[in-house]
Amino acid sequence: MKKQVTSYVLVKYRFPKSIVIKARRDVPYEFKLTSRLILDEIMFKWNKQVLEDKINEAIDQQNIDDFDRLSKQYSKYIV
């Protein structure tokens, strides 16, 4: 597992020149992993719902070609 790293750079403020104090902090690996997994799950559910809506629309319009094409895409979301 990666080490948690925090580094700060402090610069003394001088009146004639406007020097900004810079600070840098790395986000822990666990937070990055958790956020990535949550975003993946949200996108998976959203894409699945969009395909379901399109399939239902194709059924309502009795469009067999669209239904077949969308059903093949939807089969990837079913385990």
Side-chain angles (χ1 to χ4, degrees), residues 43-78:
M43 289 304 300
F44 175 84
K45 288 181 179 181
W46 185 81
N47 287 335
K48 184 177 177 181
Q49 185 62 45
V50 168
L51 277 175
E52 286 176 357
D53 293 342
K54 287 182 179 180
I55 288 172
N56 290 335
E57 185 179 329
I59 291 171
D60 292 341
Q61 295 177 356
Q62 298 178 352
N63 191 341
I64 297 171
D65 296 332
D66 284 345
F67 176 77
D68 289 338
R69 180 178 50 84
L70 294 169
S71 295
K72 288 177 185 176
Q73 291 177 1
Y74 186 76
S75 66
K76 297 175 186 176
Y77 290 91
I78 300 174

Side-chain angles (χ1 to χ4, degrees), residues 4-11 21-26:
Q4 182 177 358
V5 177
T6 303
S7 61
Y8 297 96
V9 177
L10 301 176
V11 179
I21 296 176
K22 298 179 182 179
R24 179 177 168 241
R25 182 172 182 203
D26 291 336

